[in-house]
Amino acid sequence: MHAPLLVSWLMVAVCAASGSYCLLRTRVAAGGTRATARGEALMGFGMAAMALPALVRAPPLWVWGAYAVVFGLAALRACVAVAVRGRSAGHHAHHLVGTLAMVYMSLAMGSFPAGAGSHGAMAGMGAGEVMAPAGMPVMTGVLLLYFAGYVLWAGSRLIPGIGAAPAGAPAPDGVRAVRGAAVRVAVRPEVTLACRLSMSMAMLAMLLTL
């Protein structure tokens, strides 16, 4: 991945903020909802780590293998959740696609030849320097189409009067009552959806630079 330096830092900030918000959600979530928040926090922080510019942190190739293992386990867990919940596993299915995309990007970055891997992590390309794209174009295109569709869907749900929850609506199932203004914000479904939208947009940007 070789995005401009500023874009890389913006993705780091967005993904880290999303991961932090998901950690906040674990304070009010219960049961399966808490597990979902933890999985999304892992996704946010993992994407932030992958987006770190190579000039600041150029990881060795084994780090990409570690990413693939971690997100492979997360994908396995999401797959189990989808199988258990069946037709009601909408968000778990989206999380499964996200973790598989992270595995794919990790393996693609780890496949760079020696000497290229240290400069392919989201940035660090010199002026005029050219690098062959990583990964499989067909798979990258499929993932781009999926996340572009999700961004459009989630964005439309945030338009007032279409999909946003009304003010004063009761907290969703699996949410505990906890005091604190910041924590109360974490139970609002539109904020959670905005967080997922932000991570999907960051995923789009990462795939475009692959």
Side-chain angles (χ1 to χ4, degrees):
M1 299 177 192
H2 33 276
L5 189 63
L6 177 60
V7 175
S8 298
W9 278 116
L10 286 174
M11 284 191 287
V12 170
V14 169
C15 295
S18 298
S20 300
Y21 167 77
C22 292
L23 282 182
L24 179 62
R25 284 172 53 209
T26 62
R27 292 187 55 190
V28 296
T33 306
R34 174 178 291 182
T36 299
R38 287 173 176 170
E40 292 176 337
L42 173 65
M43 177 73 72
F45 289 124
M47 291 174 67
M50 289 182 70
L52 280 174
L55 289 177
V56 176
R57 179 186 177 186
L61 291 181
W62 66 262
V63 172
W64 301 112
Y67 284 150
V69 171
V70 170
F71 286 102
L73 293 174
L76 181 60
R77 186 182 180 284
C79 186
V80 172
V82 170
V84 170
R85 291 180 176 266
R87 294 184 178 180
S88 62
H91 177 64
H92 291 285
H94 172 69
H95 185 61
L96 173 60
V97 175
T99 52
L100 290 176
M102 293 293 285
V103 173
Y104 167 68
M105 289 191 293
S106 300
L107 293 176
M109 291 306 303
S111 68
F112 275 127
S118 61
H119 298 284
M122 296 303 298
M125 298 282 295
E129 188 176 354
V130 178
M131 179 176 290
M136 298 177 290
V138 174
M139 181 62 69
T140 303
V142 169
L143 290 172
L144 282 171
L145 286 175
Y146 172 82
F147 284 103
Y150 184 87
V151 166
L152 292 174
W153 174 83
S156 67
R157 297 285 295 175
L158 290 174
I159 298 176
I162 295 181
D173 294 339
V175 174
R176 297 181 293 110
V178 180
R179 293 183 179 179
V183 177
R184 283 196 299 272
V185 169
V187 305
R188 296 182 64 88
E190 65 272 22
V191 179
T192 300
L193 183 59
C195 175
R196 293 168 181 167
L197 172 63
S198 298
M199 286 197 288
S200 294
M201 292 176 67
M203 185 72 77
L204 265 177
M206 294 172 75
L207 287 166
L208 283 171
T209 59
L210 190 64

